[in-house]
Amino acid sequence: MGAFWSQLLPPPPTFTEFNIPALHGRVFIITGGNAGVGFCLAKMLYSAGGCTIYIASRSASRIQSSISEISTTASTPAATPSTLKPLVVDFADLRTIAPAVSEFLAHEQRLDVLWNNAGVAQQPPGSTTAQGYEIHMGTNCLGPFLFTQLLLPLLTKTAQDAPSSSIRVIFTSSQIIDTTGPMGGIRLSEQEAHATHLHTAMQDKNYTYACSKIGNWYLAAELDKRVRAAGVVSVAVNPGNVRTKGWDPVSWDAKLLIAPFLYDPQMGAYTELWAGLAEQVTTSDGGKLGVPWGGRWHPGPRRDLLDGLRRKVDWGSGVAGEFWEWCEVQTRGFAGDEERGD
Ligand SMILES: NC(=O)c1ccc[n+]([C@@H]2O[C@H](COP(=O)([O-])OP(=O)(O)OC[C@H]3O[C@@H](n4cnc5c(N)ncnc54)[C@H](OP(=O)(O)O)[C@@H]3O)[C@@H](O)[C@H]2O)c1
């Protein structure tokens, strides 16, 4: 079965709540853990016991309701309970990220897995973040990029004494990158702040969402180049097509078309669970793109996107590297260095 159909009609998951290893003392962050796929993932980790799970999202009250819902509808082992904690951060406003990371660092000595799962889709053309970036690119890539960068020192420190390949960063991509978005990956000129309206292609919300999801894979691949030697695994996943509020803004006819291929969000959480915890995933997989429902990698990404992963001196287009550097430049000034005295 080709890459397209095997993501629409995936084989059964190979790693589920029954395969979760002992999590004693481990600390996790799930961005967007108050809803959809992230919520299901948080619930599974809570039930497994022994760990601390931060639900990092933009609304304190929605995080709190999800924590109440998980703790009343799921059980955690009495002898080794898990703890759910809130972390308020708005990925569409770069000013909120350093304070959220400082808040986390004030309470935790380790970070085992960061699931960069939060995201927006199908936002109206012209929508922008607080800093004027196209809303999908800003929320799905720039915010998570900065968040990850600021957490990296703790991730690499944790990796020094942790079992091999157990410290991980997971970025969340989508099947849309196989079908939509610019040839060659990302056109940085289209992504400049306050410039969205200047580009015709950027008026298409599938295009802008796809750019951000290509960006998520590229961020995973570029991060891998920087952290593999320190023992941190960095991969991306397409969680799979699942019924969540992420689909709410889609037109009724598109909803009708996709309906037969939408699954329970728990299935998407299995993909993320596998990427974050399965022993099968190691640093040598860094930069790969997992596909639903986990247990396997994308069998054949688009050639033009693969070219982007290689530098120009290696006969690639170098787009992923250029994208990483662009994210560095755009987020400069939001790292909160002064406050932390770095
Ligand atoms: N559902 C699918 O079929 C599908 C397919 C492929 C890929 N994905 C990807 O999978 C991930 C999870 O999707 P989902 O369907 O579970 O989405 P969802 O149900 O809409 O949940 C998205 C989560 O992200 C949070 N979020 C959104 N904007 C944020 C911001 N500015 N700052 C902080 N948190 C923010 C949301 O918080 P609020 O509750 O406050 O809005 C929510 O917790 C996304 O990255 C999505 O692109 C989903």
Side-chain angles (χ1 to χ4, degrees):
M1 198 162 24
F4 180 78
W5 286 106
S6 88
Q7 289 178 81
L8 275 184
L9 302 165
T14 56
F15 191 93
T16 68
E17 59 269 51
F18 303 110
N19 305 103
I20 297 178
L23 301 178
H24 186 69
R26 302 190 80 196
V27 177
F28 304 120
I29 297 179
I30 306 172
T31 73
N34 68 288
V37 174
F39 176 83
C40 295
L41 179 62
K43 200 168 174 177
M44 279 193 276
L45 296 175
Y46 178 78
S47 300
C51 58
T52 302
I53 308 143
Y54 279 81
I55 294 189
S57 202
R58 60 184 159 182
S59 153
S61 63
R62 285 197 289 275
I63 298 175
Q64 212 42 62
S65 339
S66 69
I67 289 179
S68 306
E69 188 180 338
I70 293 175
S71 18
T72 49
T73 58
S75 59
T76 191
T80 54
S82 288
T83 310
L84 291 159
K85 293 188 175 180
L87 188 63
V88 178
V89 56
D90 182 355
F91 293 111
D93 186 349
L94 294 170
R95 291 167 302 189
T96 69
I97 291 172
V101 171
S102 294
E103 163 81 12
F104 175 80
L105 296 178
H107 292 95
E108 299 300 336
Q109 304 297 315
R110 62 182 296 140
L111 175 57
D112 291 79
V113 183
L114 165 59
W115 276 279
N116 280 317
N117 159 83
V120 286
Q122 297 288 325
Q123 298 301 296
S127 312
T128 60
T129 66
Q131 283 74 38
Y133 295 97
E134 191 285 318
I135 193 76
H136 299 101
M137 183 54 76
T139 310
N140 301 351
C141 292
L142 281 175
F145 169 85
L146 179 61
F147 191 61
T148 305
Q149 287 289 85
L150 297 179
L151 289 166
L152 219 45
L154 184 58
L155 284 159
T156 51
K157 181 170 154 269
T158 311
Q160 286 169 6
D161 300 317
S164 172
S165 293
S166 62
I167 308 304
R168 303 185 190 177
V169 179
I170 314 302
F171 287 89
T172 311
S173 185
S174 164
Q175 180 170 11
I176 199 168
I177 73 169
D178 290 342
T179 54
T180 314
M183 277 298 283
I186 299 167
R187 295 183 186 140
L188 293 177
S189 57
E190 293 174 344
Q191 302 296 340
E192 291 302 331
H194 310 292
T196 306
H197 63 287
L198 300 176
H199 304 278
T200 313
M202 297 294 277
Q203 309 318 309
D204 174 353
K205 56 192 177 184
N206 289 313
Y207 180 94
T208 49
Y209 176 65
C211 291
S212 76
K213 293 289 129 180
I214 293 168
N216 287 142
W217 179 28
Y218 280 0
L219 290 182
E222 285 299 311
L223 182 65
D224 165 60
K225 292 177 187 162
R226 289 154 177 87
V227 300
R228 187 187 288 211
V232 177
V233 178
S234 171
V235 294
V237 289
N238 160 27
N241 300 314
V242 296
R243 276 182 295 276
T244 64
K245 68 183 171 58
W247 289 95
D248 287 354
V250 172
S251 64
W252 68 268
D253 45 341
K255 273 194 188 117
L256 215 57
L257 272 179
I258 190 73
F261 304 106
L262 286 187
Y263 297 78
D264 191 282
Q266 173 84 4
M267 301 303 284
Y270 287 146
T271 316
E272 296 193 5
L273 186 74
W274 166 77
L277 295 181
E279 259 185 36
Q280 180 201 355
V281 178
T282 69
T283 46
S284 63
D285 296 308
K288 289 185 186 169
L289 177 59
V291 289
W293 310 116
R296 63 200 187 113
W297 302 105
H298 196 305
R302 271 165 42 190
R303 171 65 67 86
D304 62 299
L305 299 185
L306 284 171
D307 283 349
L309 297 174
R310 292 194 316 281
R311 295 175 306 163
K312 285 183 179 148
V313 289
D314 299 322
W315 305 102
S317 69
V319 171
E322 287 166 9
F323 177 60
W324 177 277
E325 285 160 19
W326 181 80
C327 291
E328 281 180 334
V329 172
Q330 310 312 309
T331 56
R332 208 169 273 160
F334 294 99
D337 299 348
E338 307 78 27
E339 292 83 355
R340 285 204 309 280
D342 293 352

